[in-house]
Amino acid sequence: MANKTIDHAITAKALKSAASDPTHAGVLSFMRRRFSKNLKDLDAVVWGIPFDAATSNRPGARFGPQAIRRASAIMDNDPQYPFQQDLFENMAVIDYGDCLLDYGNHQKTPATIEREATKILKSGAYMLTLGGDHFVTWPILKAHAAVHGPLSLVQFDAHQDTWTDEKGRIDHGSFVARAVKDGIIDPESSIQIGIRTHAPEDCGIRIVYGYEVEEMTASEIADTIVRHVGERPCYLTFDIDCLDPAFAPGTGTPVSGGPSSAKILSVLSKLGPLHIKGSDVVEVAPAYDHADITAIAGSTIAMYMLALRAGWLAERR
């Protein structure tokens, strides 16, 4: 126990350091990263948006950031599989905490999220967001586009989220259509993976349906994504209901016939060639989960997103 510490999230003296907390104890941040509001000299920022007022079926994703952080404790201090490295040895990452939202005034939510996201992005750090329902991606995309210009969207999801609605409505099923209409994303170079529902519009976005994912190998799926997006700057969003309910029961709108977590993690691990500018994991609703299956999947997906960023940084240093 001589070299062991606890509560790394608040006691860490260096940002580039592994934690040694027991997995069952200690203050919980994402992968035990230091809790901080200091945005100086960072490679990546993890933050949560505990919002689920836009859900069309089961609510509860407001508890997603807490669940993902708790599940991430099992990945806090070992070389991460399959990347064979301590992600934080050469990458400075903090847990920025959560976005403060007024639960009694949802019309203020989009501007609040966009304002806080803009603040984080101005630091130059990569931003990984833990949702929250999928509506939160809308103001986040706006903040990223203000920095990088129109983005290609890489969306893992069971739903297209291309339903139309009136301006100002808060709905997790229409953010993609809004982003296309407002020029936030480039539909021709965007792609959706795992879709198992139909919407009135596809907005010109390439769709890889659930049955196609079932028939393709992970390498084929990744190659399809990389070839379609090319070298354009892109945003990676992962709705946990992309996974089959057997692997992610804890979500608001589950759809049968989806891929396994193993297959999709393999796909994610092969997306290194993409120029990913930001990412999120959304729609984890722990009230419907069993033995943290969904939260563990969500936290692992988030870890893979940081690993992709670590690989990108390593290539440029």
Side-chain angles (χ1 to χ4, degrees):
M1 296 293 290
N3 296 321
K4 290 280 187 178
T5 61
I6 197 167
D7 298 327
H8 188 271
I10 57 175
T11 63
K13 293 181 172 59
L15 294 178
K16 297 179 181 179
S17 60
S20 59
D21 299 52
T23 55
H24 60 276
V27 175
L28 291 172
S29 61
F30 184 74
M31 295 184 73
R32 308 286 190 176
R33 294 305 88 204
R34 183 197 289 175
F35 273 123
S36 177
K37 297 294 186 182
N38 186 347
L39 294 170
K40 185 178 180 181
D41 298 328
L42 296 174
D43 294 309
V45 171
V46 182
W47 74 319
I49 304 182
F51 178 79
D52 64 7
T55 52
S56 56
N57 193 35
R58 304 188 300 196
R62 68 179 62 188
F63 299 105
Q66 290 181 351
I68 292 171
R69 287 185 175 105
R70 183 176 65 251
S72 76
I74 61 175
M75 303 183 293
D76 59 349
N77 57 12
D78 297 321
Q80 296 307 315
Y81 173 86
F83 304 100
Q84 301 183 33
Q85 62 175 310
D86 172 6
L87 302 184
F88 310 114
E89 183 177 356
N90 297 302
M91 184 169 65
V93 182
I94 63 166
D95 189 321
Y96 191 74
D98 287 343
C99 184
L100 178 61
L101 300 171
D102 182 353
Y103 65 85
N105 193 339
H106 298 311
Q107 293 304 319
K108 290 185 176 180
T109 294
T112 300
I113 295 172
E114 184 178 353
R115 183 169 57 250
E116 196 72 14
T118 297
K119 178 182 176 182
I120 294 171
L121 293 175
K122 280 185 177 179
S123 72
Y126 180 92
M127 187 169 72
L128 167 59
T129 302
L130 312 177
D133 68 43
H134 219 159
F135 175 80
V136 305
T137 303
W138 165 237
I140 293 172
L141 279 173
K142 291 173 67 179
H144 278 84
V147 176
H148 304 291
L151 297 157
S152 301
L153 183 68
V154 179
Q155 178 184 355
F156 289 82
D157 208 321
H159 309 87
Q160 294 170 249
D161 297 334
T162 54
W163 292 83
T164 57
D165 58 26
E166 62 267 24
K167 186 175 182 180
R169 190 166 182 270
I170 295 178
D171 185 340
H172 70 160
S174 58
F175 82 92
V176 175
R178 290 188 191 184
V180 172
K181 181 179 179 181
D182 290 0
I184 302 299
I185 65 172
D186 171 39
E188 291 186 1
S189 60
S190 295
I191 187 168
Q192 299 173 322
I193 304 96
I195 301 300
R196 303 188 297 284
T197 54
H198 295 293
E201 300 279 349
D202 63 19
C203 296
I205 295 171
R206 170 74 183 277
I207 297 175
V208 181
Y209 285 103
Y211 69 87
E212 295 177 284
V213 170
E214 178 67 19
E215 295 168 356
M216 299 167 72
T217 67
S219 293
E220 288 170 340
I221 298 168
D223 185 63
T224 298
I225 296 169
V226 171
R227 286 177 178 272
H228 187 73
V229 176
E231 296 185 356
R232 288 185 55 84
C234 65
Y235 185 88
L236 174 59
T237 181
F238 198 108
D239 186 325
I240 203 67
D241 71 22
C242 175
L243 302 179
D244 189 86
F247 303 95
T251 191
T253 316
V255 183
S256 290
S260 70
S261 51
K263 187 169 192 175
I264 291 300
L265 288 171
S266 183
V267 173
L268 289 173
S269 72
K270 297 172 173 60
L271 298 183
L274 294 180
H275 296 273
I276 304 171
K277 298 301 182 182
S279 58
D280 63 54
V281 181
V282 297
E283 299 285 2
V284 172
Y288 316 108
D289 208 359
H290 302 282
D292 290 338
I293 294 171
T294 313
I296 291 169
S299 66
T300 306
I301 290 163
M303 182 272 285
Y304 272 53
M305 290 173 171
L306 284 182
L308 289 172
R309 186 60 179 178
W312 186 90
L313 290 170
E315 290 178 0
R316 286 155 180 79
R317 284 174 172 167

